[in-house]
Amino acid sequence: MTTSKTALRYPGQAIGILGLAFLMSACGGGSDSNSANGGGNVSAGNPAPITNVLAPDAQIVAYLKSSNIDFIPGANGRPEGTWRWPATPDQHVAVYLPAPATGNATEQDYANKVTTSVNLINAKLSGLLVLDLTGTRPASGNFIQVSYLTSYVPQGSTDYAGYCANVATGPNIGSMIVPDAGNNIASGPVYVNLGNGQCNVTQDIVTHEFGHALGLANHFASFGDAPANSWTLAYFDVLATLYGNPQSTPAANIVVKRAKN
Ligand SMILES: [Zn+2]
């Protein structure tokens, strides 16, 4: 929802995945209209709300390219093209939602919002992707883990709203998830860190974070960048397109898929 800060600390080349570290994409409820994203975001170019306007196919491809395809090219030896959770269509991805602490209204609120966002994404991506909520931590394998009150706030920062939530390889850290040599999401688990005790985790923020957890690395107009009230349509179409094409599909070969209404 706000400024994204993506920085490559180590050039990719032949170093292992554990050698790769990235700053987070900060996502909060603020109103920043400009992105400091280093990932080459597509500029909105149009300040008017576009909520009910279908983005053209070329725009969807451009968003997917800037957010996913162009993210750390070659890192871990990954081939050109898209990266994501594997084996679509109809890929199932477990989402571990820990039970809120008894009497903790904040955690309960976040848990409710996660359920709402998961149901929304499943409806929008029907036939392409299924997020399976579970209250039991999977014993192995890659999955998404929801974590309460563990958003990464950089040392020295007091911008708690700007760093209200993030997706990373663990709690309280800003290391972004990365693709492996097969263009699979390599982190296990992928943490969705919600809240830090000093910000308002909105429904939109939760839905936004799942976009990161599904492979959208860099923000774009309709995903974290202004205008704030116009993000949903293209966002879901970009996700549908990501999961409606095989992994490692280069931008030139992308077939745009539209989310369900
Ligand atoms: Zn974000």
Side-chain angles (χ1 to χ4, degrees):
M1 294 295 152
T2 72
T3 308
S4 168
K5 301 175 184 67
T6 306
L8 181 62
R9 286 176 178 168
Y10 308 105
Q13 298 183 353
I15 59 177
I17 185 166
L18 294 178
L20 289 171
F22 301 90
L23 296 179
M24 64 173 295
S25 288
C27 318
S31 58
D32 300 57
S33 59
N34 295 315
S35 171
N37 198 321
N41 280 359
V42 174
S43 170
N46 179 0
I50 53 173
T51 306
N52 297 316
V53 176
L54 208 59
D57 281 8
Q59 186 68 77
I60 298 298
V61 173
Y63 288 154
L64 184 57
K65 186 173 187 295
S66 69
S67 184
N68 175 268
I69 292 172
D70 288 350
F71 180 67
I72 54 171
N76 292 321
R78 81 175 188 90
E80 182 189 1
T82 53
W83 57 279
R84 55 171 173 75
W85 298 90
T88 55
D90 215 14
Q91 163 72 20
H92 286 255
V93 178
V95 177
Y96 172 41
L97 180 62
T102 303
N104 189 319
T106 298
E107 292 187 6
Q108 185 63 60
D109 175 51
Y110 294 177
N112 293 344
K113 285 171 175 167
V114 167
T115 300
T116 297
S117 291
V118 164
N119 289 339
L120 175 63
I121 291 168
N122 283 344
K124 292 289 186 182
L125 299 187
S126 174
L128 298 172
L129 177 83
V130 182
L131 297 174
D132 294 317
L133 278 172
T134 176
T136 304
R137 194 177 199 275
S140 62
N142 282 6
F143 58 93
I144 294 170
Q145 171 153 1
V146 175
S147 185
Y148 306 117
L149 300 168
T150 55
S151 80
Y152 171 69
V153 181
Q155 189 170 15
S157 174
T158 56
D159 185 11
Y160 296 104
Y163 291 95
C164 191
N166 75 302
V167 167
T169 57
N172 296 303
I173 60 175
S175 300
M176 293 178 73
I177 63 172
V178 295
D180 67 13
N183 273 336
N184 307 292
I185 288 175
S187 308
V190 168
Y191 274 74
V192 175
N193 296 309
L194 299 178
N196 50 46
Q198 300 187 67
C199 69
N200 178 29
V201 176
T202 64
Q203 190 69 61
D204 278 355
I205 287 176
V206 176
T207 302
H208 174 101
E209 295 308 323
F210 273 90
H212 285 303
L214 292 172
L216 302 183
N218 296 320
H219 289 163
F220 51 90
S222 304
F223 180 61
D225 288 348
N229 64 343
S230 67
W231 63 285
T232 51
L233 256 186
Y235 167 75
F236 289 116
D237 285 347
V238 170
L239 281 178
T241 300
L242 177 59
Y243 283 88
N245 287 264
Q247 282 163 272
S248 304
T249 303
N253 295 347
I254 290 288
V255 177
V256 170
K257 307 286 186 180
R258 298 293 175 173
K260 302 291 189 294
N261 290 321

